[in-house]
Amino acid sequence: STIRFADQCCSSIASAAARTMLVGQKKRLYVGSSAFVGTLKASPQYSNQRCIVKGYLSDKDRFRIAFWDPSFRGKEVLVHESNLAFDYWAAPGLLLPSLAPGLHIADVGASGSALMSSREFEEGDVILKEFPMMVVSNKGRGASRWNLYFGTERS
């Protein structure tokens, strides 16, 4: 028999995540996304820096960003989407769903942790739904994946 795994993020979690989606002319970024700023002619000291997306101002068609490097002390600026290159996004803990009744995580020794069930499931039962917990850019040789790992460890 086959047990299907599907998306566990109840509709309330999906709608909460959807509310964090930002709309630009061509890009959609979540609040909290890590990105890189391109060349800023008016402020070259901020060019090519990593930043965190804080919001989007549709009336100005600009993203509000904060620079990631601690030396900028959280400096926030507005930039056009053409000056942003998406790197990664990780879901805040509030968006992560809890496990369905009957499911739990257990330590299985040298193999690490496992998803365990204390009840029987029927063929076709949906036992786990999940919303994307992270999104990474596939450009380069895995740098975005490393940045995601390092960034989540740091925060």
Side-chain angles (χ1 to χ4, degrees):
S1 70
T2 304
I3 297 176
R4 294 182 295 134
F5 286 81
D7 184 33
Q8 162 152 21
C9 124
C10 320
S11 60
S12 62
I13 294 171
S15 64
R19 285 193 301 273
T20 66
M21 181 66 82
L22 300 175
V23 180
Q25 294 296 321
K26 296 180 182 177
K27 295 181 183 177
R28 294 182 178 277
L29 298 173
Y30 287 105
V31 169
S33 290
S34 175
F36 285 93
V37 177
T39 302
L40 300 176
K41 293 177 185 174
S43 302
Q45 71 274 26
Y46 301 128
S47 293
N48 307 311
Q49 294 292 322
R50 183 179 299 166
C51 66
I52 305 299
V53 174
K54 296 294 192 171
Y56 179 72
L57 286 74
S58 58
D59 58 326
K60 296 184 180 206
D61 189 27
R62 297 288 186 269
F63 284 94
R64 184 171 56 90
I65 61 157
F67 291 98
W68 188 81
D69 189 311
S71 67
F72 290 113
R73 299 181 180 177
K75 171 78 174 165
E76 292 188 7
V77 297
L78 300 177
V79 297
H80 189 267
E81 66 185 54
S82 63
N83 284 322
L84 286 178
F86 173 76
D87 192 32
Y88 70 84
W89 174 79
L94 297 173
L95 293 180
L96 301 179
S98 57
L99 291 175
L103 295 177
H104 64 279
I105 304 295
D107 183 0
V108 291
S111 297
S113 298
L115 178 63
M116 307 294 276
S117 174
S118 59
R119 70 178 187 94
E120 296 282 327
F121 289 95
E122 299 293 324
E123 181 175 345
D125 285 352
V126 175
I127 61 171
L128 183 66
K129 294 180 179 183
E130 86 184 301
F131 183 79
M133 293 186 294
M134 59 188 72
V135 181
V136 296
S137 170
N138 281 321
K139 296 177 182 174
R141 297 179 181 238
S144 292
R145 289 173 183 84
W146 174 253
N147 291 340
L148 171 64
Y149 170 76
F150 184 73
T152 54
E153 286 291 313
R154 179 180 165 196
S155 56

